[in-house]
């Protein structure tokens, strides 16, 4: 990622602190594997921003790289010139996250030559940014050494915030097929999403199936997909015609996504594909989610956005699950389940099989392709995004918990989750009319999701 650095400095504080502070921030960003852009000591005193003239110079530099900058970091090696910092940010015109860092004083170096007062200056900088209407992020500790491991953790979270906000800006989602008639719960507002910069590109399921019908069994793209499927999951016991159908469906779907320039997809399943094509799309969707091209079933577009946010934050695959069952009398545990298209990274064991629920309606031979297995144990973050037409807002909830090793004998993709104060969460879901679907990811990405939501202007409830 590329971060713009604004070095704050105030004239009657030690100027040498600005010079070393600038270099320390450059070094910290480099250590984290990122790049930076910052004024040089030949452009302003020590490359810091202390005046309106400096602010204009900084803004001009950032504007030259506006399409490349993912976020801006304001570093305060001393008190900093609060107004100049705010002016610089306003003049850039960039709509990217901003992190405010203040370097701590050393109690043994409090003479006029070494005293920083960044502790105080950070408050003044934040006060000015609020006056200017500029959103910003904070480090975990009020003051933190840019060369510390703690700041590396702050940078990791801020990077995730930048990936989420940047990844949703101009996002194009493919909605393939109609919402299943029985699933009112996955209704959503395209207009609210469009107002947030997220476009939904629709395609009738008949167009996908029509393309499939015109595709030769031996077409190179089909052969390639068959090999990809076999390399992704064991197909032992699965009839070849089902694998061929899965490969054709995957090839055509991904071809359309490239043509339409859509990043992620929500697909109609229940039960049109099974009745009219004779396969479940689970393997295709699992493979896409595994490649961070998140794919959600039942045309749950808002659930898909949650998946994508988690994948952007963590860099790892996400899944869409049902809050599905209680787990005995354990108040803080529940069974999360889907039937299933979970990416293989979610499982401790998995195989391709037929879909037991739909098979009772459309026949076993029409339901091969599901990913069946037990979800592995591990820390996880969960999120639900929803459009609220009544208030004209996008809202959601987020929290962290874990998948456990508790025994569970069932079908589909399933695991036991443990979440502190889960009954309170369940009350919140029901009291506020949230959907039964939830996106999950093996990560601790809650802080970044909450931070990104503030930049997006979405109402996000944090379950603690």
């Amino acid at each position: 990622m590329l971060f713009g650095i604004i070095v704050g400095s105030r004239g009657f504080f030690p100027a040498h602190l600005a010079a070393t502070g600038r270099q320390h921030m450059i070094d910290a960003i480099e250590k984290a594997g990122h790049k930076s852009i910052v004024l040089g000591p030949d452009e302003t005193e020590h490359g810091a921003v202390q005046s309106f003239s400096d602010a204009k110079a900084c803004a001009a530099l950032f504007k030259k790289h506006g399409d490349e900058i993912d976020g801006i970091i304001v570093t305060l090696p001393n008190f900093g010139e609060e107004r100049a910092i705010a002016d610089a940010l306003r003049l850039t015109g960039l709509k990217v996250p901003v992190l405010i860092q203040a370097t701590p004083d050393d109690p043994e170096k409090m003479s006029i030559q070494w005293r920083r007062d960044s502790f105080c200056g950070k408050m003044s900088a934040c006060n000015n940014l609020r006056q200017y209407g500029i959103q910003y992020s904070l480090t975990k500790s009020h003051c933190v050494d840019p060369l510390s491991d703690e700041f590396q953790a702050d940078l990791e979270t801020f990077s995730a915030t930048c990936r989420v906000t940047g990844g949703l800006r101009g996002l194009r989602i493919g909605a393939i097929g109609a919402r299943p008639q029985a699933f009112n719960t996955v209704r959503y507002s395209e207009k609210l999403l469009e107002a947030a910069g997220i476009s939904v590109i629709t395609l009738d399921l008949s167009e996908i199936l029509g393309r499939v019908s015109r595709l030769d069994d031996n077409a190179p793209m089909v052969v390639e997909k068959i090999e990809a499927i076999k390399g992704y999951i064991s197909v032992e016991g699965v009839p070849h015609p089902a694998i061929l159908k899965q490969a054709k469906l995957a090839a055509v779907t991904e071809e359309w996504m490239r043509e339409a320039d859509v990043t992620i997809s929500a697909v109609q399943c229940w039960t049109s594909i099974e009745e009219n094509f004779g396969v479940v799309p689970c393997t295709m969707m699992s493979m896409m989610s595994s490649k961070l091209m998140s794919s959600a079933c039942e045309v749950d577009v808002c659930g898909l956005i949650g998946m994508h946010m988690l994948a952007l934050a963590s860099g790892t695959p996400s899944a869409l699950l049902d809050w599905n069952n209680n787990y005995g009398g354990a108040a803080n545990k529940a069974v999360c389940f889907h039937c299933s298209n979970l990416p293989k990274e979610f499982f401790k064991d998995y195989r391709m099989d037929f879909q037991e629920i739909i098979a009772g309606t459309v026949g076993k031979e029409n339901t091969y392709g599901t990913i069946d297995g037990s979800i592995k144990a591990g820390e996880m973050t969960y999120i639900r995004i929803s459009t609220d037409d009544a208030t004209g807002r996008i809202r959601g909830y987020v929290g962290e918990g874990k998948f456990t090793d508790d025994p569970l004998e069932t079908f589909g993709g399933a695991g036991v989750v443990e979440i502190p104060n889960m009954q309170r969460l369940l009350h919140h879901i029901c009291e506020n009319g949230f959907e039964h679907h939830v996106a999950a990811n093996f990560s601790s990405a809650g802080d970044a999701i909450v931070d990104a939501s503030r930049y997006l202007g979405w109402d996000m409830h944090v379950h603690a």
Side-chain angles (χ1 to χ4, degrees):
M1 304 187 84
L2 178 64
F3 294 116
I5 302 174
I6 296 177
V7 182
S9 184
R10 181 165 280 188
F12 49 80
F13 284 89
H16 69 90
L17 295 177
T20 55
R22 175 183 177 277
Q23 189 59 52
H24 288 174
M25 183 55 69
I26 293 171
D27 292 344
I29 291 172
E30 207 171 90
K31 181 180 178 181
H34 305 300
K35 298 178 181 179
S36 62
I37 184 166
V38 59
L39 287 170
D42 56 329
E43 295 170 288
T44 65
E45 186 179 1
H46 300 299
V49 174
Q50 302 182 81
S51 65
F52 188 63
S53 176
D54 294 345
K56 289 193 293 182
C58 180
L61 175 65
F62 286 6
K63 281 181 178 180
K64 286 181 183 177
H65 302 271
D67 292 338
E68 306 166 60
I69 292 176
D70 298 292
I72 296 172
I73 299 175
V74 176
T75 180
L76 298 172
N78 63 38
F79 190 97
E81 199 62 60
E82 60 209 56
R83 183 163 188 167
I85 291 168
D87 284 337
L89 287 168
R90 174 184 278 175
L91 291 170
T92 66
L94 298 180
K95 304 298 182 183
V96 297
V98 177
L99 178 66
I100 313 296
Q101 174 270 333
T103 303
D105 270 305
D106 183 342
E108 296 182 2
K109 291 184 176 181
M110 295 290 282
S111 66
I112 193 67
Q113 290 84 13
W114 289 101
R115 186 164 149 170
R116 298 178 182 274
D117 285 19
S118 307
F119 185 99
C120 182
K122 182 173 180 176
M123 299 175 196
S124 295
C126 292
N127 175 276
N128 276 257
L129 296 188
R130 188 171 177 84
Q131 290 185 46
Y132 280 50
I134 297 171
Q135 188 65 261
Y136 52 89
S137 303
L138 300 173
T139 53
K140 189 170 184 179
S141 297
H142 183 68
C143 290
V144 58
D145 186 338
L147 298 181
S148 68
D149 290 340
E150 182 183 350
F151 184 68
Q152 285 294 306
D154 287 325
L155 259 183
E156 184 177 352
T157 299
F158 183 64
S159 299
T161 297
C162 294
R163 287 195 299 271
V164 174
T165 55
L168 294 186
R169 193 183 303 121
L171 177 65
R172 289 167 61 85
I173 295 173
I176 301 171
R179 169 184 58 81
Q181 189 274 334
F183 282 81
N184 276 1
T185 189
V186 296
R187 284 174 169 172
Y188 68 97
S189 169
E190 279 193 49
K191 292 182 178 180
L192 287 180
L193 294 180
E194 194 68 64
I198 299 173
S199 298
V200 179
I201 313 303
T202 59
L203 183 73
D204 193 88
L205 188 58
S206 65
E207 296 191 45
I208 286 288
L209 298 183
R211 288 191 182 201
V212 168
S213 69
R214 296 188 293 273
L215 188 59
D216 188 89
D217 291 357
N218 297 311
M221 63 193 302
V222 176
V223 174
E224 181 183 329
K225 277 298 174 189
I226 289 175
E227 292 306 309
I229 289 169
K230 291 180 177 179
Y232 183 78
I233 191 171
S234 170
V235 295
E236 184 179 354
V238 178
H240 180 72
I243 300 170
L244 178 62
K245 288 179 180 180
Q246 191 77 223
K248 284 187 168 185
L249 188 64
V252 164
T253 299
E254 291 194 31
E255 181 183 55
W256 173 77
M257 290 177 68
R258 286 190 295 271
E259 292 171 1
D261 197 18
V262 300
T263 306
I264 54 179
S265 61
V267 181
Q268 179 182 356
C269 170
W270 202 291
T271 57
S272 183
I273 290 181
E274 293 77 19
E275 292 185 42
N276 295 294
F277 186 53
V279 72
V280 293
C282 299
T283 296
M284 169 191 81
M285 298 170 73
S286 173
M287 292 173 70
M288 287 198 292
S289 291
S290 180
K291 294 187 292 186
L292 305 187
M293 299 167 56
S294 297
S295 189
C297 53
E298 295 156 11
V299 201
D300 186 356
V301 166
C302 287
L304 175 66
I305 292 171
M307 291 175 68
H308 191 52
M309 291 174 74
L310 288 172
L312 287 167
S314 68
T316 62
S318 301
L320 191 67
L321 295 157
D322 285 353
W323 294 118
N324 210 78
N325 310 88
N326 60 286
Y327 190 72
N332 289 334
K333 291 183 180 180
V335 175
C336 278
F337 165 89
H338 244 171
C339 45
S340 82
N341 60 5
L342 279 60
K344 66 179 184 180
E345 289 81 3
F346 265 64
F347 295 105
K348 58 184 177 184
D349 54 72
Y350 60 97
R351 62 194 176 99
M352 187 188 293
D353 207 344
F354 71 96
Q355 216 287 347
E356 292 196 39
I357 302 176
I358 305 179
T361 304
V362 303
K364 175 181 176 179
E365 68 279 4
N366 294 315
T367 64
Y368 279 101
T370 191
I371 310 292
D372 189 281
S374 302
I375 298 176
K376 65 186 181 183
E379 301 297 316
M380 66 90 146
T381 304
Y382 58 88
I383 182 176
R384 178 67 212 184
I385 300 297
S386 185
T387 55
D388 187 348
D389 294 54
T391 63
R393 302 283 293 172
I394 297 175
R395 60 181 185 144
Y397 63 83
V398 64
E400 296 184 3
K402 63 181 179 180
F403 284 102
T404 74
D405 274 325
D406 289 306
L408 185 67
E409 294 296 328
T410 188
F411 55 89
V416 178
V417 296
E418 183 173 13
I419 295 169
N421 300 314
M422 189 168 193
Q423 295 304 309
R424 187 188 303 166
L425 171 64
L426 296 172
H427 275 278
H428 180 81
I429 291 170
C430 292
E431 286 170 355
N432 291 277
F434 280 106
E435 298 79 355
H436 68 285
H437 286 169
V438 65
N441 186 281
F442 281 98
S443 65
S444 295
D447 288 345
I449 295 294
V450 173
D451 200 25
S453 300
R454 294 188 303 105
Y455 290 99
L456 297 167
W458 296 359
D459 300 330
M460 189 66 66
H461 169 77
V462 183
H463 177 67

